[in-house]
Amino acid sequence: MNNKKTFFKNISWVFSANLIIAFLKWLVLIMIANLLTPKDVGVYSLAFALSAPLAMFMHMKLRSIYVAGNNADFSSFSKTRDILTIISVIVLVIMEIFFSTSMSYVILLVGLIKIFDLHSEIYYAIPHKSEKLSFIGKIMVSKHLLSFGTFFFLLYFTRDLVLSLAIQLLVQLIFFFFFEKPRTKRYLLHDKMESESIISILKKGVPLGLVLMIVSFQSNFPRYVIEHLLGVEVLGYFSAVSYLLVLGNTLMLAVTQTFLPSLSRYLSNKNYNKFKKRVFGELNLLAIGIGLTAIILCYFLGEFVLDFFYGQEYAQYQDILTILSFSLVFNFIGWNFDLALLALDYINIQPIISTVVLLATIIFSILSINYYGLYGAAYTMIFTNFLQMILRGMATVYKLKKIGAL
């Protein structure tokens, strides 16, 4: 009974924290849309699209690797994160120098915010390993309320996007070094751990980082095409509309991540029936239920929501929102299979799947957006999420058969 109470407490905190954070990120778009222009929304969105592949590669799922491992020394993981951050900052500065445009400072600052946020992510691994997810939820909410609150205040009074992002980054760094880092280290186990070399960690992390980078590039490629063919202002409209779906993706991913320790434990104990029931049954039913709910809400309330939060000029894209919502079901199920593959330690298949989906995205998005505009971008997201779900599901079944679980 106590284990069940702890489990549901963890889920509720992670769910609530990610709901609040996703909402705060949405508020950023709302504020930019209302205080600035659709072009500024497009610039901000393009900055995220350009910096995301780098941040995702450097992510490497180090937190999940540490949590899934049995006897890992945390100091090796923190040193690995430090090295990756230094490399990332150098790359971002080079990008700012060689691609100097009117939006280069926004790209640099957004990239730095994403990169330094990965330091928080790796330190969350300490309480996560002990399944203290309620603590992670509380500290995540505190950080984002402070950093985004600063951004909102400055943008409202200055109407200066660059200045607001710069101060947000400063607040984020102060919070990490003086609050987040010392608080999370209290949960660090002081038992003798096996020291893992940085090279060994990178061997595990680089394939996952490549997958994340390819997935990020794949998900953002339609935005590159929209900006190139239709302009940064149209990208602003599309990004504002499509972010409503990001809220759903964020929540689903946060909830499914809490199942990783239990999935790893089932496999370690060779309890394959429970593993299959959770992956193919419970998680996928949850995915379908949330996805169908999102489709219904977008169809009936989409126009009202867009008009209320962004303005009438955004409400004209309600049909785009409804089409995009169908991609959620496929994406949710795909994330479930991704979690299963991580627990199964079937990491090497991920780059192959992601490369196939990326190539399909490049071809499909160029053709469809060129002919159908933003409708083509929506169709691309449905197609690629469906393809990714099928390939990840096939890989999960293959690996289970290989270990004799099917």
Side-chain angles (χ1 to χ4, degrees):
M1 182 66 69
N2 287 334
N3 287 337
K4 285 188 175 181
K5 285 180 66 176
T6 301
F7 176 74
F8 285 109
K9 181 182 178 183
N10 282 335
I11 282 189
S12 63
W13 262 109
V14 170
F15 185 87
S16 300
N18 282 275
L19 175 63
I20 293 170
I21 292 166
F23 181 72
L24 288 172
K25 290 180 178 179
W26 182 33
L27 282 181
V28 171
L29 281 179
I30 292 173
M31 285 199 68
I32 297 174
N34 284 278
L35 297 177
L36 303 178
T37 66
K39 183 177 180 180
D40 290 305
V41 177
V43 169
Y44 182 75
S45 302
L46 186 62
F48 265 92
L50 292 173
S51 60
L54 172 65
M56 289 295 96
F57 175 70
M58 295 301 177
H59 187 291
M60 294 190 186
K61 289 192 176 180
L62 294 187
R63 172 178 165 184
S64 295
I65 294 173
Y66 177 78
V67 171
N70 293 321
N71 296 299
D73 178 21
F74 179 76
S75 64
S76 300
F77 283 82
S78 64
K79 289 174 184 175
T80 303
R81 173 56 61 210
D82 291 339
I83 293 171
L84 294 175
T85 296
I86 293 171
I87 296 172
S88 301
V89 172
I90 293 172
V91 172
L92 286 170
V93 171
I94 292 173
M95 286 175 59
E96 201 278 334
I97 293 173
F98 285 95
F99 299 96
S100 182
T101 64
S102 58
M103 60 181 105
S104 60
Y105 288 116
V106 176
I107 296 172
L108 175 64
L109 289 169
V110 167
L112 290 174
I113 288 171
K114 293 176 74 68
I115 291 298
F116 284 112
D117 201 43
L118 295 179
H119 275 276
S120 301
E121 175 74 9
I122 191 60
Y123 275 87
Y124 294 158
I126 301 173
H128 190 169
K129 196 172 184 69
S130 302
E131 299 192 38
K132 304 293 184 181
L133 298 180
S134 59
F135 170 79
I136 298 175
K138 293 173 186 177
I139 204 167
M140 285 172 63
V141 170
S142 299
K143 180 182 76 171
H144 284 86
L145 283 174
L146 181 62
S147 62
F148 283 123
T150 303
F151 175 87
F152 297 152
F153 179 83
L154 286 167
L155 188 67
Y156 182 81
F157 286 103
T158 67
R159 302 296 201 272
D160 189 325
L161 183 59
V162 173
L163 176 63
S164 302
L165 288 170
I167 301 302
Q168 179 187 349
L169 174 62
L170 178 62
V171 170
Q172 176 183 328
L173 290 173
I174 293 172
F175 186 87
F176 171 74
F177 284 109
F178 292 98
F179 187 82
E180 215 165 26
K181 183 177 178 179
R183 287 295 184 93
T184 53
K185 288 183 74 174
R186 293 179 182 179
Y187 291 93
L188 190 62
L189 298 175
H190 295 291
D191 297 336
K192 187 176 179 62
M193 294 287 185
E194 179 184 343
S195 181
E196 189 167 4
S197 70
I198 293 173
I199 297 298
S200 175
I201 294 171
L202 289 175
K203 283 182 179 179
K204 296 177 182 178
V206 167
L208 292 172
L210 285 172
V211 171
L212 290 173
M213 181 182 71
I214 294 170
V215 169
S216 176
F217 187 71
Q218 171 253 313
S219 63
N220 283 297
F221 190 81
R223 288 173 169 78
Y224 307 149
V225 179
I226 291 171
E227 191 274 334
H228 179 71
L229 295 178
L230 306 177
V232 70
E233 184 173 332
V234 176
L235 174 60
Y237 288 120
F238 181 80
S239 298
V241 170
S242 61
Y243 190 79
L244 290 170
L245 305 184
V246 174
L247 295 173
N249 280 323
T250 301
L251 295 177
M252 187 63 189
L253 182 58
V255 171
T256 55
Q257 276 187 331
T258 64
F259 289 90
L260 180 59
S262 61
L263 290 177
S264 299
R265 189 164 55 250
Y266 292 152
L267 291 172
S268 179
N269 297 332
K270 298 188 183 301
N271 196 340
Y272 298 135
N273 287 332
K274 280 192 174 181
F275 179 87
K276 290 183 290 185
K277 180 181 178 182
R278 179 146 291 182
V279 172
F280 294 103
E282 297 168 359
L283 288 176
N284 283 347
L285 285 175
L286 178 65
I288 293 170
I290 297 177
L292 292 177
T293 301
I295 292 172
I296 294 170
L297 290 175
C298 287
Y299 181 79
F300 289 103
L301 300 176
E303 184 176 358
F304 169 77
V305 170
L306 292 175
D307 184 19
F308 182 81
F309 288 105
Y310 297 127
Q312 185 59 45
E313 55 188 335
Y314 289 86
Q316 62 182 311
Y317 296 99
Q318 184 267 340
D319 50 349
I320 298 293
L321 175 62
T322 302
I323 296 171
L324 284 169
S325 66
F326 282 87
S327 68
L328 282 176
V329 177
F330 305 133
N331 199 33
F332 289 169
I333 297 174
W335 277 117
N336 291 340
F337 290 138
D338 178 73
L339 192 73
L341 290 172
L342 182 60
L344 287 162
D345 198 27
Y346 196 21
I347 296 173
N348 293 335
I349 192 65
Q350 295 277 33
I352 299 173
I353 293 174
S354 299
T355 301
V356 172
V357 176
L358 171 61
L359 293 174
T361 301
I362 291 173
I363 296 170
F364 199 91
S365 61
I366 291 175
L367 293 175
S368 61
I369 295 173
N370 187 47
Y371 283 102
Y372 302 107
L374 290 187
Y375 289 96
Y379 299 147
T380 298
M381 291 184 68
I382 293 175
F383 169 74
T384 54
N385 284 329
F386 176 76
L387 176 62
Q388 188 165 251
M389 177 195 71
I390 294 297
L391 293 176
R392 286 177 174 174
M394 290 171 62
T396 301
V397 170
Y398 170 80
K399 185 64 176 180
L400 286 172
K401 286 182 177 179
K402 194 171 182 180
I403 64 175
L406 281 178

